[in-house]
Amino acid sequence: MVGQKTALKDDAASGTRPAPPCTLVIFGAGGDLTKRLLMPSLYNLAGAGLLPDGFSILGVDHSDGTDDSLRENLTRTMEEFSKDPTSEFHADHIDAKSWGFVRDRLHYLKGDFEKPETFAAVKAKVQGSAVFYCAVAARFFGTIVDGLGAAGLLKESDGTFRRVVIEKPFGSDLASAEDLDARILKQADEKQFYRIDHFLGKETVQSIMAFRFANGLLEPVWRREYIDSVQITAAETVGVEERGGFYEPTGALRDMVPNHMFQLLCMVAMEPPNSFGAEAVRSEKAKLAQAVKPIPPADAVRGQYTAGTSEGRDVPAYRDEPHVAKDSVTETFVALKLHIENWRWAGVPFYVRTGKRMTERRTEIAVLFKPAPFKLFEDTPNADLAPTVMRITIDPDHGVNTEFNVKVPGPEMKIGRVRTAFKYSDFFPNRPNVGYETLLYDCMTGDATLFQRADNIEAGWAAVDPLLKGWPQADVAFYPAGSAGPKEADDLLARDGRHWLGLDGATD
Ligand code: BG6
């Protein structure tokens, strides 16, 4: 993990040495992911001195192009994105040395992912170690791995490595994820596959492990005896933007829950691993995901945004977005309750919600503690004390907020609600980061800790399988853009005598 040579490692990759020499082959070199995230990440890695001299990039895509045109196009998009306030990449200027390092190593190959000639041409250009990055639509994942395997490009020999990075979505349900796993594992070993979930590249997600396991204060209370419930939220203000074509058959559940939300769930609820080695961590995460009871449709709500106001401007309904059907019942919001059937968490509900076009952008895990046992305040005006809440925030601020009750100064015993707020940026310098640096570096150094193993992915799909199968198509609750989601989501918690914490992050 870049710049994190702390306790979160137990293998050779220290995070401060350049990665070993290799070729990064990007299938989908003309795509959005390459421009928006992979190039800025490589630029940041070059700036940090973490790319080796023997590094090169081969971009493969179906349109005409040359090494020079690829270099020109990507130089232009780097400039554009650095100035675009909505992009993940922010820079006052592009450092000529760092970008020059990346740009001069870019090469282009025109090729159809369905044709063996493409892979023969890749083979002619790749010697030694290589990382093959599938930055393409999900329907090509299996095709590309088959092509690489058939061309002999996945054979590792003489100390060289051949690795394949696969983006999400990995499958669209349990059966298709199992099929894709079976298909790719015919071509190479599990250890050669790096299944990406970009939430694992977020610094705070990684730091949840450190927060939980490096603090004795938390260890004894992180369990069913002391925790009432947990709320995991990923609320976005953006709509579906130009991605209607992808989103229509996908929806919020497939897009966010078995992958991103389950990664947060695993981090907050997994058992301590025996070490920070990749297999130790991934085994604990898979074990936790496998303990999630399949979620019945009665414990879930799906919503879709209608027209409304978002961040001060009028925005259209989901059904009026480009490439979306006028009568679409695809969900843009999902809320659900899940249970983890193991000793630590039996009986503790985990509430999960995610949606587009909500009031605020907020990604967080909130842990709500049980009340103190002796109702000392029963006969006072303070009888209903709010629980102690620990909010691990991921976006927009990275930090931990704790909300608890204190005595208001004065003659009477009056209770007031207060909060301590810790922000990473108050203690540690910001490092240039668009979120893929760590993942790319780890893949090149062979550290799979932050990548998903097949069993983890399949367990996520298994948990949501009853929802995908059983949700009647028409059962979608509407919410206005710019709101906190449909009323039905509030009812889901009200049935249990609970409520969602506010999306503005204010003290509950
Ligand atoms: C992506 C989803 O995987 O994650 C998007 O496809 C979503 O729909 C995005 O907007 C959220 O990621 P982040 O990092 O912006 O919270």
Side-chain angles (χ1 to χ4, degrees), residues 397-439:
D397 292 322
H398 301 176
V400 181
N401 300 337
T402 310
E403 296 167 18
F404 50 99
N405 304 315
V406 297
K407 178 182 170 296
V408 178
E412 16 157 33
M413 176 53 91
K414 194 164 169 229
I415 299 295
R417 191 85 172 142
V418 296
R419 173 168 66 163
T420 60
F422 148 68
K423 276 193 204 171
Y424 277 85
S425 55
D426 290 343
F427 286 80
F428 306 106
N430 274 329
R431 286 183 307 118
N433 188 11
V434 297
Y436 274 65
E437 291 81 353
T438 303
L439 297 171

Side-chain angles (χ1 to χ4, degrees), residues 280-465:
V281 171
R282 300 197 310 170
S283 295
E284 289 307 337
K285 282 170 49 189
K287 203 168 112 194
L288 189 282
Q290 284 157 356
V292 176
K293 204 170 155 197
I295 304 156
D299 283 349
V301 171
R302 56 199 304 242
Q304 186 190 91
Y305 62 83
T306 54
T309 311
S310 176
E311 298 177 315
R313 61 187 180 94
D314 291 342
V315 292
Y318 173 69
R319 288 178 175 183
D320 292 326
E321 300 277 21
H323 317 296
V324 171
K326 291 284 173 231
D327 57 354
S328 171
V329 288
T330 295
E331 79 281 356
T332 58
F333 172 96
V334 57
L336 54 87
K337 171 166 76 165
L338 61 83
H339 287 285
I340 299 170
E341 296 195 302
N342 67 14
W343 276 45
R344 184 183 291 269
W345 297 116
V348 179
F350 284 71
Y351 300 100
V352 172
R353 68 179 154 166
T354 180
K356 296 207 179 279
R357 283 277 185 247
M358 298 182 70
T359 12
E360 307 272 341
R361 169 155 176 78
R362 185 160 200 86
T363 305
E364 74 169 16
I365 302 171
V367 179
L368 289 82
F369 288 86
K370 287 187 173 167
F374 179 44
K375 290 200 173 173
L376 205 50
F377 299 95
E378 209 156 47
D379 300 323
T380 74
N382 310 300
D384 284 327
L385 293 181
T388 304
V389 179
M390 188 169 277
R391 298 170 88 153
I392 302 172
T393 61
I394 293 158
D395 265 318
D397 292 322
H398 301 176
V400 181
N401 300 337
T402 310
E403 296 167 18
F404 50 99
N405 304 315
V406 297
K407 178 182 170 296
V408 178
E412 16 157 33
M413 176 53 91
K414 194 164 169 229
I415 299 295
R417 191 85 172 142
V418 296
R419 173 168 66 163
T420 60
F422 148 68
K423 276 193 204 171
Y424 277 85
S425 55
D426 290 343
F427 286 80
F428 306 106
N430 274 329
R431 286 183 307 118
N433 188 11
V434 297
Y436 274 65
E437 291 81 353
T438 303
L439 297 171
L440 282 170
Y441 177 82
D442 282 3
C443 182
M444 290 188 250
T445 55
D447 181 354
T449 312
L450 295 178
F451 294 83
Q452 301 199 80
R453 228 168 45 187
D455 50 358
N456 197 341
I457 293 203
E458 289 175 16
W461 283 121
V464 300
D465 209 44

Side-chain angles (χ1 to χ4, degrees), residues 112-115 119 138-149 180 183-184:
D112 181 334
F113 308 143
E114 317 254 9
K115 300 220 166 106
F119 297 92
R139 66 180 185 283
F140 292 117
F141 295 163
T143 311
I144 289 175
V145 174
D146 285 348
L148 290 169
L180 183 56
R183 182 172 174 184
I184 65 175

Side-chain angles (χ1 to χ4, degrees), residues 88 167-169 197-199 202 234-236 238-240 243 246-247 250 255-256 259-260 356 361 363 394-395 434 436:
E88 295 81 355
E167 271 291 332
K168 77 169 261 277
D197 182 309
H198 82 273
F199 265 45
K202 290 179 191 274
E236 299 181 84
V238 289
V240 73
R243 298 167 74 221
F246 158 77
Y247 207 80
T250 306
D255 190 33
M256 295 292 290
N259 31 61
H260 301 328
K356 296 207 179 279
R361 169 155 176 78
T363 305
I394 293 158
D395 265 318
V434 297
Y436 274 65

Side-chain angles (χ1 to χ4, degrees), residues 98-148:
S98 304
W99 176 239
F101 185 98
V102 176
R103 188 198 53 223
D104 296 348
R105 286 168 167 75
L106 282 165
H107 303 277
Y108 187 71
L109 175 72
K110 179 185 174 185
D112 181 334
F113 308 143
E114 317 254 9
K115 300 220 166 106
E117 302 89 273
T118 303
F119 297 92
V122 170
K123 194 170 183 184
K125 288 178 181 286
V126 173
Q127 277 93 43
S129 296
V131 170
F132 301 101
Y133 199 120
C134 301
V136 293
R139 66 180 185 283
F140 292 117
F141 295 163
T143 311
I144 289 175
V145 174
D146 285 348
L148 290 169

